[in-house]
Amino acid sequence: SSSHTPPTGAAASPGRARRAAMVKCSLVAKADDLATEKVRVAAAAVGVELAVQRPGAGGGAVPELHLGGRVVRYTNAILRCLGRIFEDGDMYGSSFIQTNQVDAWLDWAEAELGSAEAPNAAEAVEKLEKHLEAKTYLVGQRMTLADIAVSCSLNRLRKAGALQAVPRATQRWLGTCLAHDAFKAVGGAAAPAPQARVVCLARRSADG
């Protein structure tokens, strides 16, 4: 069986939708993995429709995005690919510097919050709190892949009881992320869906 995550109205601008061409793609991954949760939210944020299906026997060690005849493996590489689906998108930052800052947060989330145990989670949250004290989002003035990756990781640790407490600025930021249409489109990234293989129809610029 498969489940579908429709893109929300806020995920893609009308102008983008007019220029978009439908491109078939698929993500082979276990739907209850943190990696798949990140990809589902990112896909909803950029206007990509996802359907999830279990990987074959012996597969699923790393998520794989199949886009046409190309394959992109590993979570952060897939997130970057989705962030570039639209040439005028800003989920991957709106400047060269912001893109590099997003990259740094993607790597940070995987290194500090990517495991179920996350032994350094308390220290990581302390650093996150200092960064967010005067900021609404991690990079720039709107949500990016950085917010998606870090909030998915942090929220899963919080629900698993791996965090004793979430400080004020981080709690406010996390609430902002979870209230975004992209999170709502996948159920707030809350309850993992049954294992599946992701089959998606991605919209990208016809001239890209």
Side-chain angles (χ1 to χ4, degrees):
S1 62
S2 63
S3 61
H4 294 269
T5 301
T8 64
S13 67
R16 182 182 300 171
R18 285 193 298 268
R19 294 183 292 100
M22 299 304 293
V23 179
K24 289 185 178 181
C25 65
S26 63
L27 175 73
V28 180
K30 297 177 181 177
D32 58 348
D33 281 355
L34 172 61
T36 305
E37 185 176 300
K38 293 179 181 180
V39 172
R40 291 181 69 203
V41 176
V46 299
V48 173
E49 186 177 343
L50 292 172
V52 188
Q53 189 178 36
R54 178 182 311 186
V62 298
E64 293 184 350
L65 181 73
H66 295 251
L67 180 61
R70 296 161 291 178
V71 178
V72 180
R73 296 181 176 88
Y74 298 98
T75 309
N76 287 346
I78 293 171
L79 292 176
R80 293 177 179 115
C81 179
L82 290 173
R84 291 180 171 129
I85 286 289
F86 293 114
E87 290 184 355
D88 61 347
D90 51 19
M91 288 299 296
Y92 197 10
S94 58
S95 69
F96 174 76
I97 294 298
Q98 285 192 6
T99 295
N100 282 275
Q101 291 173 333
V102 170
D103 278 335
W105 281 110
L106 294 182
D107 293 341
W108 184 86
E110 192 164 54
E112 301 295 336
L113 305 172
S115 67
E117 298 79 17
N120 300 318
E123 292 84 353
V125 170
E126 184 177 343
K127 293 178 181 178
L128 188 62
E129 176 73 6
K130 290 180 180 178
H131 181 79
L132 288 167
E133 282 178 352
K135 294 180 174 65
T136 302
Y137 295 106
L138 294 176
V139 177
Q141 302 301 315
R142 60 187 64 193
M143 177 177 282
T144 65
L145 295 173
D147 299 287
I148 291 172
V150 177
S151 62
C152 283
S153 299
L154 188 66
N155 194 42
R156 181 164 287 213
L157 289 173
R158 180 182 63 84
K159 290 187 297 182
L163 294 175
Q164 296 299 317
V166 178
R168 182 187 59 81
T170 302
Q171 184 66 51
R172 183 245 323 140
W173 163 81
L174 184 60
T176 299
C177 292
L178 297 180
H180 192 278
D181 285 349
F183 280 87
K184 292 178 180 178
V186 296
Q195 283 191 347
R197 176 187 175 191
V198 175
V199 179
C200 68
L201 289 176
R203 295 184 178 91
R204 73 175 182 179
S205 174
D207 58 1

mmCIF file of all heavy atoms in Angstrom, residues 113 115-119 121-122 125 152-166 174 190:
data_model
loop_
_atom_site.group_PDB
_atom_site.id
_atom_site.type_symbol
_atom_site.label_atom_id
_atom_site.label_comp_id
_atom_site.label_asym_id
_atom_site.label_seq_id
_atom_site.Cartn_x
_atom_site.Cartn_y
_atom_site.Cartn_z
ATOM 1 N N LEU A 113 22.510 15.164 16.459
ATOM 2 C CA LEU A 113 21.161 14.734 16.837
ATOM 3 C C LEU A 113 20.655 13.569 15.998
ATOM 4 O O LEU A 113 19.480 13.214 16.080
ATOM 5 C CB LEU A 113 20.179 15.914 16.679
ATOM 6 C CG LEU A 113 20.521 17.201 17.427
ATOM 7 C CD1 LEU A 113 19.554 18.316 17.012
ATOM 8 C CD2 LEU A 113 20.463 16.991 18.932
ATOM 9 N N SER A 115 21.424 10.244 15.921
ATOM 10 C CA SER A 115 21.267 8.894 16.456
ATOM 11 C C SER A 115 20.178 8.861 17.518
ATOM 12 O O SER A 115 19.827 9.890 18.101
ATOM 13 C CB SER A 115 22.582 8.399 17.065
ATOM 14 O OG SER A 115 22.916 9.160 18.215
ATOM 15 N N ALA A 116 19.649 7.668 17.778
ATOM 16 C CA ALA A 116 18.587 7.525 18.769
ATOM 17 C C ALA A 116 19.070 7.887 20.165
ATOM 18 O O ALA A 116 18.307 8.407 20.983
ATOM 19 C CB ALA A 116 18.051 6.095 18.747
ATOM 20 N N GLU A 117 20.349 7.641 20.448
ATOM 21 C CA GLU A 117 20.889 7.944 21.772
ATOM 22 C C GLU A 117 21.276 9.421 21.889
ATOM 23 O O GLU A 117 21.005 10.067 22.893
ATOM 24 C CB GLU A 117 22.118 7.076 22.066
ATOM 25 C CG GLU A 117 21.814 5.580 22.099
ATOM 26 C CD GLU A 117 21.715 4.980 20.704
ATOM 27 O OE1 GLU A 117 22.183 5.621 19.739
ATOM 28 O OE2 GLU A 117 21.151 3.877 20.587
ATOM 29 N N ALA A 118 21.914 9.939 20.837
ATOM 30 C CA ALA A 118 22.373 11.337 20.811
ATOM 31 C C ALA A 118 23.013 11.720 22.147
ATOM 32 O O ALA A 118 22.484 12.536 22.896
ATOM 33 C CB ALA A 118 21.214 12.279 20.490
ATOM 34 N N PRO A 119 24.176 11.145 22.472
ATOM 35 C CA PRO A 119 24.791 11.365 23.780
ATOM 36 C C PRO A 119 25.124 12.821 24.081
ATOM 37 O O PRO A 119 25.204 13.214 25.241
ATOM 38 C CB PRO A 119 26.057 10.501 23.720
ATOM 39 C CG PRO A 119 26.342 10.328 22.258
ATOM 40 C CD PRO A 119 25.000 10.281 21.605
ATOM 41 N N ALA A 121 23.254 15.426 23.107
ATOM 42 C CA ALA A 121 22.058 16.203 22.782
ATOM 43 C C ALA A 121 21.904 17.431 23.675
ATOM 44 O O ALA A 121 21.529 18.509 23.207
ATOM 45 C CB ALA A 121 20.813 15.323 22.876
ATOM 46 N N ALA A 122 22.186 17.283 24.960
ATOM 47 C CA ALA A 122 22.021 18.411 25.889
ATOM 48 C C ALA A 122 22.932 19.571 25.504
ATOM 49 O O ALA A 122 22.511 20.734 25.479
ATOM 50 C CB ALA A 122 22.306 17.955 27.319
ATOM 51 N N VAL A 125 21.656 21.174 22.251
ATOM 52 C CA VAL A 125 20.500 22.033 22.465
ATOM 53 C C VAL A 125 20.930 23.357 23.095
ATOM 54 O O VAL A 125 20.375 24.421 22.781
ATOM 55 C CB VAL A 125 19.441 21.331 23.326
ATOM 56 C CG1 VAL A 125 18.340 22.303 23.747
ATOM 57 C CG2 VAL A 125 18.836 20.161 22.566
ATOM 58 N N CYS A 152 13.187 18.183 12.856
ATOM 59 C CA CYS A 152 12.780 16.773 12.806
ATOM 60 C C CYS A 152 13.598 15.937 13.785
ATOM 61 O O CYS A 152 13.061 15.099 14.516
ATOM 62 C CB CYS A 152 12.926 16.223 11.388
ATOM 63 S SG CYS A 152 11.634 16.721 10.232
ATOM 64 N N SER A 153 14.911 16.157 13.791
ATOM 65 C CA SER A 153 15.794 15.414 14.697
ATOM 66 C C SER A 153 15.467 15.718 16.152
ATOM 67 O O SER A 153 15.334 14.805 16.980
ATOM 68 C CB SER A 153 17.254 15.774 14.408
ATOM 69 O OG SER A 153 17.621 15.434 13.097
ATOM 70 N N LEU A 154 15.330 17.002 16.469
ATOM 71 C CA LEU A 154 15.069 17.410 17.852
ATOM 72 C C LEU A 154 13.704 16.933 18.329
ATOM 73 O O LEU A 154 13.562 16.437 19.459
ATOM 74 C CB LEU A 154 15.158 18.928 17.953
ATOM 75 C CG LEU A 154 15.111 19.515 19.366
ATOM 76 C CD1 LEU A 154 16.348 19.097 20.151
ATOM 77 C CD2 LEU A 154 15.010 21.035 19.309
ATOM 78 N N ASN A 155 12.710 17.039 17.474
ATOM 79 C CA ASN A 155 11.363 16.633 17.861
ATOM 80 C C ASN A 155 11.285 15.134 18.129
ATOM 81 O O ASN A 155 10.613 14.692 19.059
ATOM 82 C CB ASN A 155 10.363 17.020 16.771
ATOM 83 C CG ASN A 155 8.930 16.930 17.244
ATOM 84 O OD1 ASN A 155 8.596 17.328 18.358
ATOM 85 N ND2 ASN A 155 8.057 16.400 16.400
ATOM 86 N N ARG A 156 12.002 14.354 17.340
ATOM 87 C CA ARG A 156 11.983 12.901 17.553
ATOM 88 C C ARG A 156 12.674 12.547 18.869
ATOM 89 O O ARG A 156 12.179 11.687 19.616
ATOM 90 C CB ARG A 156 12.664 12.200 16.376
ATOM 91 C CG ARG A 156 12.657 10.690 16.519
ATOM 92 C CD ARG A 156 12.975 9.979 15.233
ATOM 93 N NE ARG A 156 11.878 10.044 14.278
ATOM 94 C CZ ARG A 156 11.600 9.069 13.412
ATOM 95 N NH1 ARG A 156 12.306 7.952 13.407
ATOM 96 N NH2 ARG A 156 10.610 9.181 12.553
ATOM 97 N N LEU A 157 13.777 13.214 19.185
ATOM 98 C CA LEU A 157 14.454 12.965 20.459
ATOM 99 C C LEU A 157 13.565 13.389 21.633
ATOM 100 O O LEU A 157 13.495 12.704 22.654
ATOM 101 C CB LEU A 157 15.777 13.729 20.505
ATOM 102 C CG LEU A 157 16.894 13.215 19.602
ATOM 103 C CD1 LEU A 157 18.070 14.184 19.627
ATOM 104 C CD2 LEU A 157 17.344 11.820 20.032
ATOM 105 N N ARG A 158 12.872 14.511 21.457
ATOM 106 C CA ARG A 158 11.978 15.006 22.514
ATOM 107 C C ARG A 158 10.856 14.015 22.791
ATOM 108 O O ARG A 158 10.556 13.700 23.941
ATOM 109 C CB ARG A 158 11.406 16.362 22.101
ATOM 110 C CG ARG A 158 10.470 16.991 23.118
ATOM 111 C CD ARG A 158 9.910 18.303 22.605
ATOM 112 N NE ARG A 158 9.106 18.126 21.404
ATOM 113 C CZ ARG A 158 7.817 17.790 21.420
ATOM 114 N NH1 ARG A 158 7.197 17.588 22.570
ATOM 115 N NH2 ARG A 158 7.150 17.656 20.288
ATOM 116 N N LYS A 159 10.242 13.512 21.739
ATOM 117 C CA LYS A 159 9.138 12.563 21.911
ATOM 118 C C LYS A 159 9.607 11.228 22.478
ATOM 119 O O LYS A 159 8.845 10.537 23.157
ATOM 120 C CB LYS A 159 8.420 12.352 20.578
ATOM 121 C CG LYS A 159 7.637 13.570 20.116
ATOM 122 C CD LYS A 159 6.818 13.257 18.885
ATOM 123 C CE LYS A 159 7.677 12.879 17.716
ATOM 124 N NZ LYS A 159 6.884 12.616 16.489
ATOM 125 N N ALA A 160 10.872 10.874 22.197
ATOM 126 C CA ALA A 160 11.420 9.619 22.711
ATOM 127 C C ALA A 160 11.896 9.742 24.153
ATOM 128 O O ALA A 160 12.314 8.759 24.766
ATOM 129 C CB ALA A 160 12.573 9.163 21.825
ATOM 130 N N GLY A 161 11.834 10.964 24.710
ATOM 131 C CA GLY A 161 12.269 11.178 26.080
ATOM 132 C C GLY A 161 13.767 11.307 26.239
ATOM 133 O O GLY A 161 14.281 11.208 27.354
ATOM 134 N N ALA A 162 14.474 11.536 25.123
ATOM 135 C CA ALA A 162 15.931 11.651 25.182
ATOM 136 C C ALA A 162 16.386 13.035 25.619
ATOM 137 O O ALA A 162 17.565 13.239 25.885
ATOM 138 C CB ALA A 162 16.545 11.315 23.824
ATOM 139 N N LEU A 163 15.456 13.975 25.710
ATOM 140 C CA LEU A 163 15.770 15.333 26.169
ATOM 141 C C LEU A 163 14.992 15.619 27.445
ATOM 142 O O LEU A 163 13.784 15.400 27.508
ATOM 143 C CB LEU A 163 15.394 16.370 25.102
ATOM 144 C CG LEU A 163 16.188 16.343 23.800
ATOM 145 C CD1 LEU A 163 15.600 17.352 22.816
ATOM 146 C CD2 LEU A 163 17.656 16.652 24.055
ATOM 147 N N GLN A 164 15.681 16.116 28.448
ATOM 148 C CA GLN A 164 15.028 16.431 29.713
ATOM 149 C C GLN A 164 14.117 17.647 29.586
ATOM 150 O O GLN A 164 13.024 17.671 30.127
ATOM 151 C CB GLN A 164 16.088 16.684 30.804
ATOM 152 C CG GLN A 164 16.927 15.473 31.134
ATOM 153 C CD GLN A 164 16.091 14.316 31.655
ATOM 154 O OE1 GLN A 164 15.185 14.509 32.467
ATOM 155 N NE2 GLN A 164 16.383 13.105 31.185
ATOM 156 N N ALA A 165 14.587 18.646 28.863
ATOM 157 C CA ALA A 165 13.803 19.863 28.697
ATOM 158 C C ALA A 165 14.288 20.600 27.460
ATOM 159 O O ALA A 165 15.434 20.462 27.044
ATOM 160 C CB ALA A 165 13.927 20.764 29.927
ATOM 161 N N VAL A 166 13.390 21.376 26.867
ATOM 162 C CA VAL A 166 13.738 22.199 25.715
ATOM 163 C C VAL A 166 13.622 23.654 26.151
ATOM 164 O O VAL A 166 12.550 24.095 26.556
ATOM 165 C CB VAL A 166 12.802 21.927 24.521
ATOM 166 C CG1 VAL A 166 13.160 22.833 23.352
ATOM 167 C CG2 VAL A 166 12.893 20.457 24.104
ATOM 168 N N LEU A 174 10.890 25.573 17.654
ATOM 169 C CA LEU A 174 10.352 24.260 17.314
ATOM 170 C C LEU A 174 8.848 24.342 17.055
ATOM 171 O O LEU A 174 8.336 23.728 16.113
ATOM 172 C CB LEU A 174 10.653 23.263 18.435
ATOM 173 C CG LEU A 174 10.236 21.804 18.191
ATOM 174 C CD1 LEU A 174 10.933 21.244 16.951
ATOM 175 C CD2 LEU A 174 10.557 20.955 19.414
ATOM 176 N N ALA A 190 4.820 13.704 13.127
ATOM 177 C CA ALA A 190 4.649 13.144 14.458
ATOM 178 C C ALA A 190 4.664 11.628 14.429
ATOM 179 O O ALA A 190 5.641 11.007 14.777
ATOM 180 C CB ALA A 190 3.341 13.653 15.071
#
